[in-house]
Amino acid sequence: MERTFIMVKPDGVQRGLVGEIISRFEKRGFKLVGLKLMQISRELAETHYGEHKGKPFFEGLVNFITSGPVVAMVWEGKEVIATAREMMGATNPLKALPGTIRGTYGIDVGRNVIHGSDSPESAAREIALFFKEEELLSYEKTLDTWIYE
Ligand code: ADP
């Protein structure tokens, strides 16, 4: 089973979309194994978005992501990394398909509601960045026999 890092960004928290976003992942059948409400430090933001350092939007992105509480989560399941990206929709919400999270709730690329790891490597890196080992739980859900064959 894969694990991925998902974060409701400050705009999603302010707009009251936390429950809706969690609900979509729950209903899909994925398992929540880590969850916290937090405000990201500048240092953590710059590390998390390190690949974008030097780009014109970097400063604005760091300012935005540190501007208010976020909900950081780890979700587990079969092919959850790629599937979560599909559920989120394209980075630019105007290009995201209707029905996806960004395609339902977003307009501007700098206010796109949700973050999700884009590969197994970034998932491992981001999970370790935001969660301690003991903050992630392994547990059985009896419902899993009705989700996986
Ligand atoms: P994703 O979040 O879909 O993985 P990226 O890793 O390319 O996308 O970018 C990280 C975040 O930076 C995006 O979610 C978005 O909030 C912001 N971003 C990306 N490109 C731009 C841009 N051209 N202008 C403003 N913000 C951007």
Short mmCIF file of all heavy atoms in Angstrom, two decimals, residues 100-148:
data_model
loop_
_atom_site.label_atom_id
_atom_site.label_comp_id
_atom_site.label_asym_id
_atom_site.label_seq_id
_atom_site.Cartn_x
_atom_site.Cartn_y
_atom_site.Cartn_z
N THR A 100 -13.21 17.57 -10.19
CA THR A 100 -12.02 17.45 -9.36
C THR A 100 -12.10 18.51 -8.26
O THR A 100 -12.91 19.43 -8.34
CB THR A 100 -10.73 17.68 -10.19
OG1 THR A 100 -10.76 19.01 -10.73
CG2 THR A 100 -10.63 16.66 -11.33
N ILE A 101 -11.25 18.37 -7.24
CA ILE A 101 -11.29 19.33 -6.12
C ILE A 101 -10.96 20.74 -6.61
O ILE A 101 -11.71 21.69 -6.36
CB ILE A 101 -10.36 18.87 -4.99
CG1 ILE A 101 -10.89 17.56 -4.39
CG2 ILE A 101 -10.22 19.95 -3.91
CD1 ILE A 101 -9.91 16.82 -3.49
N ARG A 102 -9.86 20.88 -7.33
CA ARG A 102 -9.50 22.21 -7.83
C ARG A 102 -10.49 22.69 -8.89
O ARG A 102 -10.80 23.88 -8.98
CB ARG A 102 -8.08 22.19 -8.39
CG ARG A 102 -7.01 22.11 -7.29
CD ARG A 102 -5.67 21.73 -7.87
NE ARG A 102 -4.56 21.87 -6.93
CZ ARG A 102 -3.34 21.43 -7.16
NH1 ARG A 102 -3.06 20.81 -8.32
NH2 ARG A 102 -2.38 21.60 -6.28
N GLY A 103 -10.99 21.76 -9.71
CA GLY A 103 -11.95 22.11 -10.76
C GLY A 103 -13.33 22.44 -10.22
O GLY A 103 -14.17 22.99 -10.92
N THR A 104 -13.57 22.10 -8.96
CA THR A 104 -14.84 22.43 -8.32
C THR A 104 -14.73 23.70 -7.49
O THR A 104 -15.67 24.49 -7.45
CB THR A 104 -15.30 21.27 -7.39
OG1 THR A 104 -15.37 20.08 -8.17
CG2 THR A 104 -16.66 21.54 -6.76
N TYR A 105 -13.57 23.90 -6.83
CA TYR A 105 -13.47 24.97 -5.84
C TYR A 105 -12.47 26.07 -6.15
O TYR A 105 -12.34 27.00 -5.35
CB TYR A 105 -13.13 24.36 -4.46
CG TYR A 105 -14.20 23.42 -3.98
CD1 TYR A 105 -13.95 22.06 -3.86
CD2 TYR A 105 -15.47 23.90 -3.68
CE1 TYR A 105 -14.94 21.19 -3.45
CE2 TYR A 105 -16.46 23.03 -3.27
CZ TYR A 105 -16.19 21.68 -3.15
OH TYR A 105 -17.17 20.82 -2.74
N GLY A 106 -11.73 25.98 -7.27
CA GLY A 106 -10.68 26.97 -7.47
C GLY A 106 -10.77 27.75 -8.76
O GLY A 106 -11.47 27.36 -9.70
N ILE A 107 -10.06 28.87 -8.80
CA ILE A 107 -9.94 29.68 -10.02
C ILE A 107 -8.46 30.01 -10.29
O ILE A 107 -7.94 29.70 -11.35
CB ILE A 107 -10.79 30.97 -9.91
CG1 ILE A 107 -12.29 30.61 -9.83
CG2 ILE A 107 -10.53 31.87 -11.13
CD1 ILE A 107 -13.21 31.80 -9.63
N ASP A 108 -7.79 30.64 -9.31
CA ASP A 108 -6.40 31.08 -9.51
C ASP A 108 -5.40 30.00 -9.09
O ASP A 108 -5.62 29.31 -8.10
CB ASP A 108 -6.13 32.35 -8.70
CG ASP A 108 -6.38 33.61 -9.50
OD1 ASP A 108 -6.64 33.51 -10.71
OD2 ASP A 108 -6.31 34.71 -8.89
N VAL A 109 -4.27 29.92 -9.83
CA VAL A 109 -3.25 28.91 -9.54
C VAL A 109 -2.63 29.12 -8.16
O VAL A 109 -2.20 28.16 -7.51
CB VAL A 109 -2.17 28.88 -10.66
CG1 VAL A 109 -1.31 30.14 -10.66
CG2 VAL A 109 -1.31 27.64 -10.56
N GLY A 110 -2.58 30.37 -7.71
CA GLY A 110 -2.00 30.66 -6.40
C GLY A 110 -3.00 30.49 -5.25
O GLY A 110 -2.69 30.78 -4.09
N ARG A 111 -4.19 30.03 -5.56
CA ARG A 111 -5.22 29.75 -4.54
C ARG A 111 -5.92 28.46 -4.94
O ARG A 111 -7.14 28.43 -5.13
CB ARG A 111 -6.27 30.90 -4.49
CG ARG A 111 -5.71 32.26 -4.12
CD ARG A 111 -5.34 32.36 -2.64
NE ARG A 111 -4.92 33.72 -2.30
CZ ARG A 111 -3.68 34.18 -2.42
NH1 ARG A 111 -2.72 33.39 -2.87
NH2 ARG A 111 -3.38 35.41 -2.08
N ASN A 112 -5.12 27.38 -5.03
CA ASN A 112 -5.69 26.15 -5.57
C ASN A 112 -6.05 25.09 -4.52
O ASN A 112 -6.11 23.90 -4.81
CB ASN A 112 -4.80 25.59 -6.70
CG ASN A 112 -3.41 25.24 -6.22
OD1 ASN A 112 -3.11 25.36 -5.03
ND2 ASN A 112 -2.57 24.79 -7.13
N VAL A 113 -6.25 25.54 -3.28
CA VAL A 113 -6.98 24.79 -2.25
C VAL A 113 -6.26 23.59 -1.64
O VAL A 113 -6.37 23.33 -0.45
CB VAL A 113 -8.37 24.33 -2.78
CG1 VAL A 113 -9.12 23.49 -1.77
CG2 VAL A 113 -9.22 25.52 -3.22
N ILE A 114 -5.52 22.84 -2.45
CA ILE A 114 -4.99 21.56 -1.95
C ILE A 114 -3.61 21.28 -2.54
O ILE A 114 -3.31 21.66 -3.67
CB ILE A 114 -5.98 20.42 -2.28
CG1 ILE A 114 -5.51 19.07 -1.71
CG2 ILE A 114 -6.23 20.29 -3.78
CD1 ILE A 114 -6.56 17.97 -1.77
N HIS A 115 -2.79 20.62 -1.74
CA HIS A 115 -1.50 20.09 -2.20
C HIS A 115 -1.53 18.57 -2.10
O HIS A 115 -2.09 18.02 -1.16
CB HIS A 115 -0.35 20.61 -1.33
CG HIS A 115 0.93 19.88 -1.58
ND1 HIS A 115 1.79 20.22 -2.60
CD2 HIS A 115 1.47 18.78 -1.00
CE1 HIS A 115 2.81 19.36 -2.61
NE2 HIS A 115 2.64 18.48 -1.65
N GLY A 116 -0.89 17.90 -3.05
CA GLY A 116 -0.71 16.44 -2.97
C GLY A 116 0.59 16.04 -3.61
O GLY A 116 0.98 16.60 -4.64
N SER A 117 1.29 15.10 -3.00
CA SER A 117 2.59 14.64 -3.53
C SER A 117 2.43 14.15 -4.97
O SER A 117 1.43 13.54 -5.32
CB SER A 117 3.14 13.50 -2.68
OG SER A 117 3.13 13.84 -1.32
N ASP A 118 3.46 14.44 -5.80
CA ASP A 118 3.35 14.08 -7.22
C ASP A 118 4.11 12.81 -7.61
O ASP A 118 4.08 12.42 -8.78
CB ASP A 118 3.78 15.26 -8.11
CG ASP A 118 5.23 15.64 -7.93
OD1 ASP A 118 5.95 14.95 -7.20
OD2 ASP A 118 5.64 16.66 -8.53
N SER A 119 4.79 12.15 -6.67
CA SER A 119 5.54 10.92 -6.98
C SER A 119 5.84 10.19 -5.68
O SER A 119 5.75 10.79 -4.60
CB SER A 119 6.86 11.27 -7.67
OG SER A 119 7.71 11.95 -6.75
N PRO A 120 6.22 8.92 -5.76
CA PRO A 120 6.59 8.19 -4.54
C PRO A 120 7.74 8.87 -3.80
O PRO A 120 7.75 8.92 -2.57
CB PRO A 120 7.01 6.81 -5.06
CG PRO A 120 6.25 6.65 -6.34
CD PRO A 120 6.17 8.02 -6.94
N GLU A 121 8.69 9.44 -4.56
CA GLU A 121 9.84 10.11 -3.94
C GLU A 121 9.39 11.36 -3.18
O GLU A 121 9.80 11.57 -2.04
CB GLU A 121 10.88 10.51 -5.00
CG GLU A 121 11.56 9.35 -5.70
CD GLU A 121 10.64 8.59 -6.67
OE1 GLU A 121 9.72 9.23 -7.25
OE2 GLU A 121 10.81 7.37 -6.82
N SER A 122 8.54 12.17 -3.80
CA SER A 122 8.11 13.38 -3.09
C SER A 122 7.17 13.02 -1.94
O SER A 122 7.17 13.69 -0.90
CB SER A 122 7.51 14.43 -4.03
OG SER A 122 6.40 13.93 -4.71
N ALA A 123 6.40 11.97 -2.08
CA ALA A 123 5.53 11.53 -0.96
C ALA A 123 6.39 11.18 0.25
O ALA A 123 6.11 11.64 1.37
CB ALA A 123 4.66 10.35 -1.39
N ALA A 124 7.43 10.40 0.04
CA ALA A 124 8.31 9.99 1.16
C ALA A 124 8.97 11.21 1.79
O ALA A 124 9.02 11.35 3.02
CB ALA A 124 9.36 9.00 0.67
N ARG A 125 9.42 12.12 0.94
CA ARG A 125 10.10 13.33 1.42
C ARG A 125 9.14 14.22 2.21
O ARG A 125 9.46 14.69 3.32
CB ARG A 125 10.65 14.11 0.22
CG ARG A 125 11.56 15.28 0.56
CD ARG A 125 12.03 16.00 -0.69
NE ARG A 125 11.02 16.91 -1.21
CZ ARG A 125 10.90 18.19 -0.85
NH1 ARG A 125 11.72 18.71 0.04
NH2 ARG A 125 9.96 18.96 -1.37
N GLU A 126 7.95 14.44 1.67
CA GLU A 126 7.00 15.35 2.31
C GLU A 126 6.41 14.77 3.59
O GLU A 126 6.20 15.49 4.57
CB GLU A 126 5.90 15.72 1.30
CG GLU A 126 6.46 16.56 0.15
CD GLU A 126 5.52 16.71 -1.04
OE1 GLU A 126 4.39 16.17 -1.00
OE2 GLU A 126 5.92 17.38 -2.01
N ILE A 127 6.14 13.47 3.60
CA ILE A 127 5.62 12.84 4.82
C ILE A 127 6.64 13.00 5.95
O ILE A 127 6.29 13.39 7.07
CB ILE A 127 5.27 11.35 4.57
CG1 ILE A 127 4.05 11.24 3.66
CG2 ILE A 127 5.04 10.62 5.89
CD1 ILE A 127 3.78 9.83 3.13
N ALA A 128 7.91 12.76 5.62
CA ALA A 128 8.96 12.87 6.64
C ALA A 128 9.15 14.31 7.11
O ALA A 128 9.51 14.57 8.26
CB ALA A 128 10.27 12.31 6.10
N LEU A 129 8.87 15.25 6.21
CA LEU A 129 9.02 16.67 6.53
C LEU A 129 7.94 17.14 7.51
O LEU A 129 8.18 17.96 8.39
CB LEU A 129 8.90 17.45 5.21
CG LEU A 129 9.62 18.77 5.00
CD1 LEU A 129 11.08 18.70 5.43
CD2 LEU A 129 9.52 19.15 3.52
N PHE A 130 6.73 16.60 7.37
CA PHE A 130 5.59 17.10 8.14
C PHE A 130 5.21 16.22 9.33
O PHE A 130 4.53 16.70 10.24
CB PHE A 130 4.37 17.28 7.23
CG PHE A 130 4.42 18.52 6.40
CD1 PHE A 130 5.13 18.54 5.19
CD2 PHE A 130 3.79 19.68 6.81
CE1 PHE A 130 5.19 19.70 4.42
CE2 PHE A 130 3.85 20.84 6.05
CZ PHE A 130 4.55 20.85 4.86
N PHE A 131 5.61 14.95 9.32
CA PHE A 131 5.16 14.04 10.38
C PHE A 131 6.33 13.26 10.97
O PHE A 131 7.23 12.85 10.25
CB PHE A 131 4.14 13.04 9.84
CG PHE A 131 2.79 13.64 9.55
CD1 PHE A 131 2.50 14.18 8.31
CD2 PHE A 131 1.81 13.67 10.54
CE1 PHE A 131 1.26 14.75 8.04
CE2 PHE A 131 0.56 14.24 10.28
CZ PHE A 131 0.28 14.78 9.03
N LYS A 132 6.26 13.08 12.30
CA LYS A 132 7.17 12.15 12.95
C LYS A 132 6.62 10.74 12.77
O LYS A 132 5.39 10.58 12.65
CB LYS A 132 7.26 12.46 14.46
CG LYS A 132 7.83 13.82 14.76
CD LYS A 132 7.91 14.01 16.28
CE LYS A 132 8.18 15.45 16.63
NZ LYS A 132 7.26 16.01 17.62
N GLU A 133 7.50 9.77 12.81
CA GLU A 133 7.10 8.37 12.62
C GLU A 133 5.93 7.99 13.54
O GLU A 133 4.96 7.37 13.11
CB GLU A 133 8.30 7.46 12.90
CG GLU A 133 8.17 6.04 12.42
CD GLU A 133 8.09 5.92 10.91
OE1 GLU A 133 8.95 6.45 10.20
OE2 GLU A 133 7.11 5.29 10.45
N GLU A 134 6.01 8.42 14.81
CA GLU A 134 4.98 8.01 15.79
C GLU A 134 3.64 8.73 15.59
O GLU A 134 2.65 8.39 16.23
CB GLU A 134 5.50 8.21 17.23
CG GLU A 134 5.81 9.65 17.61
CD GLU A 134 7.27 10.02 17.39
OE1 GLU A 134 7.93 9.40 16.53
OE2 GLU A 134 7.76 10.94 18.08
N GLU A 135 3.62 9.73 14.72
CA GLU A 135 2.35 10.42 14.44
C GLU A 135 1.54 9.72 13.34
O GLU A 135 0.42 10.12 13.04
CB GLU A 135 2.62 11.88 14.02
CG GLU A 135 3.15 12.73 15.14
CD GLU A 135 3.55 14.13 14.68
OE1 GLU A 135 4.03 14.29 13.54
OE2 GLU A 135 3.37 15.07 15.47
N LEU A 136 2.14 8.70 12.72
CA LEU A 136 1.45 7.95 11.67
C LEU A 136 1.00 6.61 12.23
O LEU A 136 1.79 5.89 12.84
CB LEU A 136 2.38 7.75 10.47
CG LEU A 136 2.89 9.06 9.86
CD1 LEU A 136 3.89 8.76 8.75
CD2 LEU A 136 1.74 9.90 9.32
N LEU A 137 -0.27 6.29 12.04
CA LEU A 137 -0.83 5.08 12.63
C LEU A 137 -1.05 3.99 11.59
O LEU A 137 -1.42 4.27 10.45
CB LEU A 137 -2.16 5.39 13.32
CG LEU A 137 -2.12 6.49 14.38
CD1 LEU A 137 -3.45 6.56 15.10
CD2 LEU A 137 -1.01 6.27 15.39
N SER A 138 -0.81 2.76 12.03
CA SER A 138 -1.18 1.60 11.20
C SER A 138 -2.34 0.92 11.89
O SER A 138 -2.24 0.58 13.08
CB SER A 138 -0.01 0.62 11.09
OG SER A 138 1.01 1.20 10.32
N TYR A 139 -3.44 0.76 11.18
CA TYR A 139 -4.60 0.10 11.80
C TYR A 139 -5.45 -0.55 10.73
O TYR A 139 -5.37 -0.20 9.55
CB TYR A 139 -5.42 1.12 12.62
CG TYR A 139 -6.00 2.28 11.82
CD1 TYR A 139 -7.33 2.26 11.41
CD2 TYR A 139 -5.23 3.38 11.47
CE1 TYR A 139 -7.88 3.32 10.69
CE2 TYR A 139 -5.76 4.43 10.74
CZ TYR A 139 -7.08 4.40 10.36
OH TYR A 139 -7.61 5.44 9.63
N GLU A 140 -6.25 -1.49 11.16
CA GLU A 140 -7.13 -2.22 10.24
C GLU A 140 -8.49 -1.55 10.17
O GLU A 140 -9.00 -1.06 11.17
CB GLU A 140 -7.33 -3.67 10.74
CG GLU A 140 -6.06 -4.50 10.77
CD GLU A 140 -5.42 -4.64 9.41
OE1 GLU A 140 -6.15 -4.83 8.41
OE2 GLU A 140 -4.19 -4.51 9.34
N LYS A 141 -9.06 -1.52 8.98
CA LYS A 141 -10.46 -1.10 8.83
C LYS A 141 -11.22 -2.30 8.29
O LYS A 141 -10.88 -2.80 7.21
CB LYS A 141 -10.56 0.09 7.87
CG LYS A 141 -10.16 1.41 8.50
CD LYS A 141 -10.18 2.53 7.49
CE LYS A 141 -11.57 3.11 7.33
NZ LYS A 141 -11.54 4.25 6.37
N THR A 142 -12.24 -2.70 9.03
CA THR A 142 -12.98 -3.89 8.59
C THR A 142 -13.63 -3.66 7.23
O THR A 142 -13.83 -4.59 6.46
CB THR A 142 -14.07 -4.27 9.62
OG1 THR A 142 -14.85 -3.11 9.90
CG2 THR A 142 -13.46 -4.78 10.91
N LEU A 143 -13.92 -2.39 6.94
CA LEU A 143 -14.56 -2.04 5.68
C LEU A 143 -13.67 -2.36 4.47
O LEU A 143 -14.16 -2.47 3.34
CB LEU A 143 -14.88 -0.54 5.69
CG LEU A 143 -16.02 -0.04 4.81
CD1 LEU A 143 -17.33 -0.67 5.23
CD2 LEU A 143 -16.11 1.47 4.89
N ASP A 144 -12.36 -2.49 4.72
CA ASP A 144 -11.43 -2.71 3.61
C ASP A 144 -11.79 -3.93 2.75
O ASP A 144 -11.51 -3.95 1.56
CB ASP A 144 -9.99 -2.85 4.12
CG ASP A 144 -9.35 -1.47 4.36
OD1 ASP A 144 -9.96 -0.46 3.95
OD2 ASP A 144 -8.26 -1.43 4.95
N THR A 145 -12.44 -4.93 3.37
CA THR A 145 -12.81 -6.11 2.56
C THR A 145 -13.93 -5.77 1.57
O THR A 145 -14.17 -6.52 0.64
CB THR A 145 -13.30 -7.28 3.46
OG1 THR A 145 -14.37 -6.81 4.27
CG2 THR A 145 -12.18 -7.81 4.32
N TRP A 146 -14.59 -4.63 1.78
CA TRP A 146 -15.63 -4.18 0.85
C TRP A 146 -15.09 -3.14 -0.15
O TRP A 146 -15.81 -2.69 -1.03
CB TRP A 146 -16.83 -3.60 1.62
CG TRP A 146 -17.42 -4.62 2.53
CD1 TRP A 146 -17.26 -4.71 3.88
CD2 TRP A 146 -18.21 -5.75 2.14
NE1 TRP A 146 -17.90 -5.81 4.36
CE2 TRP A 146 -18.50 -6.47 3.32
CE3 TRP A 146 -18.70 -6.23 0.92
CZ2 TRP A 146 -19.26 -7.64 3.31
CZ3 TRP A 146 -19.46 -7.39 0.92
CH2 TRP A 146 -19.73 -8.08 2.10
N ILE A 147 -13.82 -2.79 0.02
CA ILE A 147 -13.18 -1.81 -0.87
C ILE A 147 -12.16 -2.50 -1.78
O ILE A 147 -12.06 -2.19 -2.96
CB ILE A 147 -12.52 -0.68 -0.05
CG1 ILE A 147 -13.61 0.14 0.65
CG2 ILE A 147 -11.63 0.21 -0.92
CD1 ILE A 147 -13.11 1.06 1.73
N TYR A 148 -11.42 -3.46 -1.20
CA TYR A 148 -10.41 -4.20 -1.98
C TYR A 148 -10.87 -5.64 -2.15
O TYR A 148 -11.38 -6.24 -1.21
CB TYR A 148 -9.07 -4.18 -1.24
CG TYR A 148 -8.48 -2.79 -1.10
CD1 TYR A 148 -8.51 -2.11 0.11
CD2 TYR A 148 -7.87 -2.17 -2.20
CE1 TYR A 148 -7.94 -0.84 0.23
CE2 TYR A 148 -7.30 -0.90 -2.08
CZ TYR A 148 -7.35 -0.25 -0.86
OH TYR A 148 -6.80 1.01 -0.74
#
